[in-house]
Amino acid sequence: RKLAALQLVHPNVLARALKQGAVYQDEEVVVLNKPYGLPVHGGPGVKNCVTDVLPILAKMLKNMRAEPLHLCHRLDKETTGVMVLAWSKEAADRIRLLFKTRQVEKIYWAISVGHPDPAEGIVEIPMVEKEVRSHQPHYKMTLAPNYRLSPEDGRVLKIRKNCSAESAVTRYRILASSSACSLLELQPITGVKHQIRVHLAYGLGCPILGDHKYSHWNKLAPQKLPEVTLRRLKLEQSKARHLPLHLHARRLSLPLGASGGKWIDLVCEPPVFFHRTLRKLELDIDKN
């Protein structure tokens, strides 16, 4: 609840918090370290979101006559980290096209429950959104693989392609492992909704710590954690539902300017709760 408190403050207070989280600014863009629990867009039950305060933020960063900033891409509500805004619509359109044509290098950090095997690799499995039929019907992204194993003889069989499925590719590598968890570096090559979360949970069997949505398929329930993880976090399983999603947009590299001649590399530190979890789980990057 504390982490999501920015949703409830006055828009001016939110804009000031985002201004304090600015990590880079020039005549073309402003780069923020997006806080946890803050939606990018409005919707049912959303009191505050990033887009609502872009006019106020522009005035705080520039002057009272400044035009509103423009959103260049989006991050999920629970994801923290690098977020790019543009001063002009032309610059925003140009940067959106860079994302669409995969000319932006994106690096994420996540703490996973479990250790991916092998320790480094590529998950390349298409994804699709499906309805989960349970006592609480809801929608989730899931895998739509092109192949399956024959139950009779174990042969690899090609499946008829799901026409709604989107191609999804994620590179990953383990940076540190301890306490039945891993710190992972992730590079999504494509940009499908909830791609990293689904590839880790359903592709590698290692859901992100605090990802209560994708730790199960057919139910909405808190994530079940190993004993050693609960012990290190000083947490009871009954309180696991309060764990936030540990997914952070660590770095973005992209070309700026009309000619694309200015290449910038933007890095954002993970939030305090992420660092605290790393310490508790003894996921020491320096030792690895």
Side-chain angles (χ1 to χ4, degrees):
R1 281 193 291 271
K2 278 183 192 170
L3 289 171
L6 283 176
Q7 267 202 73
L8 307 171
V9 298
H10 189 278
N12 287 358
V13 177
L14 174 57
R16 202 171 298 118
L18 293 178
K19 180 190 173 188
Q20 286 167 354
V23 294
Y24 177 84
Q25 184 180 343
D26 63 16
E27 66 288 340
E28 192 175 7
V29 296
V30 173
V31 180
L32 307 176
N33 191 346
K34 185 184 105 50
Y36 180 87
L38 183 65
V40 172
H41 296 289
V46 173
K47 188 184 174 191
N48 266 335
C49 63
V50 174
T51 45
D52 284 351
V53 298
L54 292 181
I56 308 169
L57 181 61
K59 287 175 169 55
M60 284 182 176
L61 288 165
K62 214 174 204 177
N63 56 53
M64 289 309 289
R65 291 193 301 278
E67 292 293 312
L69 284 151
H70 299 262
L71 206 62
C72 298
H73 63 115
R74 60 175 298 161
L75 290 175
D76 287 345
K77 175 180 157 184
E78 294 90 359
T79 306
T80 57
V82 189
M83 172 162 252
V84 183
L85 308 170
W87 286 110
S88 69
K89 185 182 181 301
E90 295 72 34
D93 288 342
R94 198 161 57 242
I95 293 166
R96 284 184 202 124
L97 187 61
L98 292 174
F99 275 93
K100 197 174 178 182
T101 53
R102 300 175 193 170
Q103 295 181 64
V104 179
E105 185 179 297
K106 298 171 279 186
I107 299 292
Y108 285 72
W109 276 7
I111 298 175
S112 69
V113 180
H115 314 304
D117 185 16
E120 188 171 342
I122 296 174
V123 182
E124 187 174 357
I125 310 173
M127 286 172 48
V128 70
E129 192 163 36
K130 283 188 177 177
E131 185 178 7
V132 180
R133 299 182 186 280
S134 67
H135 66 290
Q136 290 173 286
H138 57 286
Y139 284 86
K140 279 185 188 177
M141 297 300 291
T142 190
L143 302 177
N146 294 326
Y147 299 90
R148 68 175 177 85
L149 291 177
S150 163
E152 287 82 32
D153 54 13
R155 282 188 310 126
V156 177
L157 304 174
K158 191 158 175 58
I159 304 169
R160 201 171 116 199
K161 194 175 177 185
N162 186 323
C163 57
S164 305
E166 294 181 76
S167 171
V169 185
T170 309
R171 291 179 65 172
Y172 73 91
R173 71 184 179 105
I174 295 178
L175 298 178
S177 287
S178 177
S179 317
C181 291
S182 298
L183 172 64
L184 305 179
E185 180 185 83
L186 302 138
Q187 184 183 1
I189 309 299
T190 52
V192 181
K193 176 183 174 183
H194 296 174
Q195 176 181 315
I196 290 175
R197 295 166 67 177
V198 172
H199 271 174
L200 284 181
Y202 301 153
L204 293 169
C206 297
I208 296 173
L209 183 68
D211 195 348
H212 309 291
K213 180 167 186 164
Y214 289 108
S215 291
H216 318 275
W217 168 251
N218 61 351
K219 59 183 176 179
L220 291 167
Q223 187 175 50
K224 186 91 171 70
L225 294 173
E227 277 300 320
V228 62
T229 309
L230 291 168
R231 202 162 55 245
R232 289 273 168 82
L233 292 173
K234 294 185 169 60
L235 191 69
E236 292 172 31
Q237 179 57 50
S238 60
K239 305 288 187 200
R241 67 184 183 277
H242 299 305
L243 267 180
L245 182 76
H246 285 68
L247 178 62
H248 176 71
R250 166 80 174 161
R251 186 175 148 211
L252 277 187
S253 302
L254 70 159
L256 288 182
S259 62
K262 180 184 177 184
W263 193 275
I264 62 165
D265 198 29
L266 306 155
V267 177
C268 280
E269 270 301 301
V272 172
F273 78 83
F274 198 107
H275 276 296
R276 193 178 293 134
T277 301
L278 289 177
R279 276 198 311 275
K280 285 180 178 176
L281 296 177
E282 297 179 0
L283 289 167
D284 194 335
I285 318 163
D286 298 330
K287 286 181 188 171
N288 293 269

